[in-house]
Amino acid sequence: TIAFLVKLPALPFHSWLPDAHTQAPTAASVILAAVLLKTGGYGIIRFVLPLFPDASAQLAPFMMLIGVIGIIYGAMMAFVQTDLKRLVAYSSVSHMGFVLLGCFAFNVYALQGAVMQMVAHGFSTAALFMIAGSLQERLHTRDMRKMGGLWQNMPRMGAVAMFFVVASLGLPGLGNFVAEFLVLVGLFQVDRWMTVIAALGLITGAAYSLILMQRSFQGAPDESRTLTDFGTREMLTMGVMMVALVWLGIYPQPVLDIAQPV
């Protein structure tokens, strides 16, 4: 269980993730966020819960407490970051807390929400890391204090970034909203106070997500910058993930059927 918590990552085993994302190239960050983190949730669902049901039931209150703390802690840490990649990395800590809650709430809604969160988070966060890598390539920095006004310089990138930011904060109609809503519905049947605290993570998530947009893309543009906007290749790549998130938000049933206990 601890091994899967490290991979998820869950508090207090999360400290490797921001440093790993910060030091990794963009491609490695995308693979880590979209695929490798999900092996932690998959391991819990596929091995821990069915192979050790009694121990899982005994640990469930503690695991849900870790998940709730991780949601709030990850969001608060993301709130104070100035490095764009570290902000997205800490947001992953917060979002993966919903996966942990869904796994140990022991009802169908929460489990389906956990699986949906892993799928939707893979699209939205991977796209944000791609955007962070694109900005670093163009500006040679990830410090949001040195950005600002980028929407005027790169309107296509700004529009794409706005889409994935609002997807990450759980805008209704997109896959992340379905995931977090199902987890909270399932958790409400188990512990109402934990549900209330976890829901506060959605509010702090909106705060750091909108701060990301404000510091990076809004404000007065630097007229001395000559920046290249997203081209056809980048827009096609982002478009595929945007369509996937909209599809998951409008018609999530295929993923929910996969997560349906037999």
Side-chain angles (χ1 to χ4, degrees):
T1 302
I2 293 177
F4 293 129
L5 291 180
V6 172
K7 193 62 180 174
L8 194 58
L11 217 67
F13 309 109
H14 70 287
S15 57
W16 63 272
L17 183 68
D19 292 332
H21 275 306
T22 302
Q23 299 299 324
T26 300
S29 291
V30 170
I31 294 173
L32 178 60
V35 180
L36 298 183
L37 292 187
K38 310 308 181 291
T39 59
Y42 173 81
I44 292 174
I45 295 172
R46 185 67 179 83
F47 299 109
V48 174
L49 298 181
L51 295 180
F52 310 101
D54 294 337
S56 298
Q58 293 176 1
L59 286 174
F62 178 67
M63 291 297 180
M64 289 191 293
L65 180 61
I66 289 178
V68 168
I69 294 174
I71 291 170
I72 301 298
Y73 172 81
M76 292 178 64
M77 289 300 294
F79 186 80
V80 300
Q81 299 302 312
T82 57
D83 186 309
L84 183 55
K85 286 187 77 173
R86 289 185 75 88
L87 187 154
V88 180
Y90 275 112
S91 75
S92 293
V93 175
S94 181
H95 291 139
M96 289 297 100
F98 282 99
V99 175
L100 194 60
L101 285 177
C103 291
F104 285 94
F106 289 106
N107 62 64
V108 175
Y109 295 126
L111 181 62
Q112 290 176 324
V115 175
M116 177 63 78
Q117 178 76 333
M118 289 191 285
V119 176
H121 176 269
F123 287 115
S124 61
T125 304
L128 289 175
F129 277 120
M130 290 181 187
I131 293 169
S134 299
L135 289 174
Q136 183 178 5
E137 180 183 355
R138 289 163 169 80
L139 300 171
H140 308 292
T141 182
R142 295 193 305 265
D143 192 340
M144 291 184 291
R145 294 170 296 184
K146 298 179 181 179
M147 299 180 188
L150 296 179
W151 195 306
Q152 284 83 352
N153 300 115
M154 299 177 290
R156 288 192 292 272
M157 183 189 289
V160 168
M162 175 62 83
F163 177 90
F164 287 110
V165 162
V166 297
S168 180
L169 64 84
L171 182 73
L174 301 176
N176 303 70
F177 169 77
V178 176
E180 293 169 355
F181 180 77
L182 285 173
V183 170
L184 292 176
V185 168
L187 183 62
F188 188 78
Q189 301 177 12
V190 180
D191 192 314
R192 296 184 178 182
W193 283 110
M194 279 194 181
T195 307
V196 172
I197 299 173
L200 294 177
L202 302 179
I203 301 173
T204 51
Y208 68 70
S209 298
L210 296 177
I211 282 177
L212 185 157
M213 282 301 300
Q214 174 65 31
R215 292 180 177 175
S216 302
F217 290 94
Q218 303 298 324
D222 187 345
E223 301 296 341
S224 63
R225 288 174 177 157
T226 302
L227 302 173
T228 304
D229 202 356
F230 272 170
T232 304
R233 181 186 62 179
E234 292 92 344
M235 289 302 295
L236 181 61
T237 303
M238 295 294 175
V240 171
M241 292 186 285
M242 293 166 75
V243 169
L245 283 174
V246 172
W247 179 261
L248 290 173
I250 295 175
Y251 185 61
Q253 198 59 46
V255 177
L256 302 183
D257 290 339
I258 294 173
Q260 181 74 29
V262 178

